[in-house]
């Protein structure tokens, strides 16, 4: 049986909410949450790692995916 796509991502510690729905990365001294969301403009929503991946804040992502 083949490996599941997520098997190579077993270490969830890089995420802000390991085990949660958010894809945003954990903030740290080297990766501070200091950038605005590109969609809503709310400040301090993204880290540089999130920005490089083209992410938006959780609230905007949830709205875009049909969540509230």
């Amino acid at each position: 049986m083949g490996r599941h796509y997520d098997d190579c991502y077993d270490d969830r510690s890089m995420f802000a909410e390991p085990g949660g729905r958010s894809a945003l990365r954990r903030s740290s001294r080297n990766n501070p949450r200091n950038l605005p969301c590109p969609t809503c403009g709310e400040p301090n929503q993204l880290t540089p790692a999130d920005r490089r991946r083209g992410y938006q804040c959780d609230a905007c992502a949830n709205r875009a995916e049909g969540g509230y």
Side-chain angles (χ1 to χ4, degrees):
M1 188 174 228
R3 289 177 54 104
H4 187 272
Y5 176 80
D6 287 338
D7 286 349
C8 61
Y9 297 105
D10 287 341
D11 182 7
R12 307 281 299 166
S13 65
M14 72 184 97
F15 295 102
E17 297 177 18
R21 293 184 49 186
S22 178
L24 298 180
R25 298 313 197 245
R26 181 182 73 234
S27 64
S28 67
R29 186 175 7 173
N30 295 329
N31 191 44
R33 191 166 307 285
N34 62 354
L35 300 171
C37 173
T39 305
C40 68
E42 187 69 29
N44 302 322
Q45 296 297 305
L46 304 179
T47 66
D50 298 327
R51 169 74 51 89
R52 282 191 299 276
R53 288 171 176 79
Y55 291 164
Q56 58 189 348
C57 73
D58 287 335
C60 289
N62 288 340
R63 279 192 294 276
E65 295 170 1
Y68 297 97

